[in-house]
Amino acid sequence: AQSVTQLGSHVSVSEGALVLLRCNYSSSVPPYLFWYVQYPNQGLQLLLKYTTGATLVKGINGFEAEFKKSETSFHLTKPSAHMSDAAEYFCAVLNQGGKLIFGQGTELSVKP
Amino acid sequence: GAVVSQHPSRVICKSGTSVKIECRSLDFQATTMFWYRQFPKQSLMLMATSNEGSKATYEQGVEKDKFLINHASLTLSTLTVTSAHPEDSSFYICSAEGDSGNTIYFGEGSWLTVV
């Protein structure tokens, strides 16, 4: 069975600083991994996904994530945080039944 | 990218009444849609998988008679909360599997408040 763990329910960074949101997964098969962002009172927007191929995946809004099989990780990064990046971020893995298994979410705050 | 739309975005209903939430895939056909519930400051909880032309598959602990799901066409799934109670108040989000089969797109969510 697949599972996802997001380390840190809340991350705070200064504007312009590096953003690092951690995600570790558990999967018995090659995983399909996703990062979604949720702004207050809204649905989820796909940031990026990894299925196969290149392990460094680039997404929207300057975010990227690297799939590291040896570490079972799929951490999300952005070189320079912007105030508009403040939101809730969810890491997810697609299970064999086609269902998304979500992590607990990480709330990103950006200080001016 | 693919677009999934939910309606209404916010609804208030009286306790004991039923309310319907629609989920539409606007630019692709979705044989499978998913319904989630999200409590404040929490992650998404999968309620059921909606399959076009067949019965929905409910997750353990979800009352199928209370949360009726109908997937009547390849672009529309509906969730009806029957005999709503205040504890049903929540944020409900739908999603649909894109054409490629390995990407899931989400609707904007629907806030339900039962008074």
Side-chain angles (χ1 to χ4, degrees):
Chain A
Q2 286 92 342
S3 66
V4 173
T5 301
Q6 289 181 240
L7 298 176
S9 59
H10 187 93
V11 171
S12 182
V13 300
S14 298
E15 191 174 19
L18 170 72
V19 175
L20 171 61
L21 304 182
R22 299 178 185 274
C23 172
N24 287 89
Y25 69 90
S26 172
S27 179
S28 56
V29 298
Y32 286 1
L33 295 160
F34 304 81
W35 274 101
Y36 287 89
V37 60
Q38 184 179 34
Y39 297 100
N41 300 317
Q42 295 186 27
L44 274 67
Q45 181 181 8
L46 180 66
L47 277 177
L48 50 79
K49 66 178 181 180
Y50 169 79
T51 53
T52 59
T55 57
L56 182 62
V57 181
K58 295 186 183 299
I60 62 171
N61 302 339
F63 284 94
E64 61 182 37
E66 186 171 10
F67 170 64
K68 291 187 176 181
K69 184 179 178 180
S70 61
E71 299 177 8
T72 61
S73 68
F74 190 57
H75 301 332
L76 182 71
T77 60
K78 181 174 180 177
S80 176
H82 192 273
M83 296 297 290
S84 60
D85 294 327
E88 188 84 15
Y89 291 80
F90 292 96
C91 181
V93 62
L94 193 66
N95 77 0
Q96 292 174 279
K99 301 174 184 177
L100 275 177
I101 307 300
F102 285 94
Q104 306 91 321
T106 298
E107 183 180 3
L108 175 66
S109 299
V110 182
K111 298 174 292 185
Chain B
V3 178
V4 176
S5 178
Q6 274 184 251
H7 177 81
S9 58
R10 289 183 179 272
V11 58
I12 300 174
C13 71
K14 291 185 177 181
S15 187
T17 63
S18 296
V19 61
K20 180 185 289 187
I21 301 171
E22 295 184 346
C23 178
R24 294 181 184 273
S25 56
L26 298 185
D27 53 358
F28 65 101
Q29 293 183 330
T31 55
T32 303
M33 291 184 173
F34 303 89
W35 286 97
Y36 294 83
R37 184 173 181 177
Q38 186 180 30
F39 292 102
K41 301 294 185 181
Q42 294 189 25
S43 190
L44 282 73
M45 179 190 77
L46 179 64
M47 298 174 66
T49 303
S50 172
N51 304 297
E52 188 270 334
S54 64
K55 292 183 178 180
T57 304
Y58 290 82
E59 296 299 303
Q60 191 172 7
V62 178
E63 298 177 61
K64 60 181 67 176
D65 293 330
K66 180 167 189 61
F67 299 100
L68 300 179
I69 292 172
N70 183 30
H71 196 149
S73 76
L74 287 171
T75 59
L76 174 64
S77 175
T78 60
L79 168 68
T80 301
V81 183
T82 62
S83 186
H85 288 93
E87 56 264 32
D88 298 325
S89 299
S90 189
F91 192 52
Y92 293 88
I93 308 177
C94 73
S95 67
E97 190 173 12
D99 292 342
S100 64
N102 58 25
T103 299
I104 297 179
Y105 300 93
F106 285 80
E108 311 96 324
S110 299
W111 276 108
L112 169 63
T113 302
V114 184
V115 297

